[in-house]
Amino acid sequence: KPFLKGVPIVYSKRMIEMKIGKFGEGGLDDWPGFFKEAGEKMGENYHLFRPEGGESMQDCYDRARMFYLYLLKKHSFKERILLVGHGFFSMHLILDALGLDLFELRYYHLNNASISTLDIDKGGKVKDFHINDYHHLIYEGMKMKGLRVTRD
């Protein structure tokens, strides 16, 4: 049920987390196992490792790119849209929007509940951005502890 009346909500299966096949069975994701096997089997081409029943990092990046292009076609640059998703998919989408390749992933990280904003121009290029902002969590935590906090 939406928290804001009059705000359309769309659920999309296109934004699901990276599918890691056998490394995601049983309700627990085994990311260390995924990356270990990817490195052992693929070496420098680890991003192309596709476990049985899963997708490669490149597949996920390409899927995020297609979703970003879809968003650019569907929405006016003046609109504000909110995307809520999982870390790898969201980071891949952000990297693509910024014109960075998949290998830049090693330098960036998204914390749970962080907020990333992208200001996009008419041509679909990012003019300004903030990635992995979680000051709202710190602010609320301090408030819960009774600490006096002022916001700008």
Side-chain angles (χ1 to χ4, degrees):
K1 186 174 180 178
F3 292 105
L4 301 171
K5 294 183 184 217
V7 176
I9 296 177
V10 177
Y11 297 92
S12 176
K13 291 185 179 192
R14 295 187 228 187
M15 284 190 63
I16 63 170
E17 181 61 297
M18 188 174 136
K19 297 174 264 181
I20 57 175
K22 68 179 184 179
F23 299 101
E25 294 174 351
L28 295 174
D29 292 339
D30 180 13
W31 288 103
F34 174 87
F35 286 111
K36 181 176 187 261
E37 190 167 321
E40 289 171 354
K41 289 190 173 181
M42 304 298 286
E44 289 182 12
N45 293 319
Y46 65 92
H47 65 291
L48 300 176
F49 171 68
R50 185 180 296 122
E52 185 176 327
E55 65 183 334
S56 69
M57 291 178 72
Q58 186 67 54
D59 293 335
C60 184
Y61 181 84
D62 293 342
R63 183 165 52 87
R65 170 183 290 140
M66 296 307 296
F67 188 68
Y68 180 63
L69 293 174
Y70 162 79
L71 291 173
L72 290 176
K73 286 181 186 173
K74 183 161 174 68
H75 297 279
S76 156
F77 76 98
K78 293 179 183 178
E79 288 181 88
R80 290 179 179 239
I81 60 171
L82 170 69
L83 304 176
V84 178
H86 294 277
F88 269 99
F89 180 85
S90 297
M91 194 69 240
H92 287 149
L93 188 142
I94 291 168
L95 289 174
D96 184 66
L98 292 172
L100 300 173
D101 68 38
L102 171 64
F103 297 104
E104 297 293 322
L105 181 66
R106 72 184 82 168
Y107 303 114
Y108 302 98
H109 174 77
L110 294 178
N111 289 311
N112 287 337
S114 68
I115 297 173
S116 298
T117 58
L118 304 175
D119 185 9
I120 300 168
D121 68 15
K122 292 179 186 179
K125 300 291 183 197
V126 176
K127 298 186 299 184
D128 193 17
F129 62 92
H130 298 275
I131 298 174
N132 197 37
D133 183 0
Y134 51 91
H135 79 277
H136 59 288
L137 299 174
I138 296 168
Y139 173 79
E140 290 302 321
M142 292 174 72
K143 208 165 87 173
M144 286 173 52
K145 295 214 180 260
L147 300 173
R148 188 171 178 270
V149 181
T150 58
R151 282 187 131 164
D152 292 347

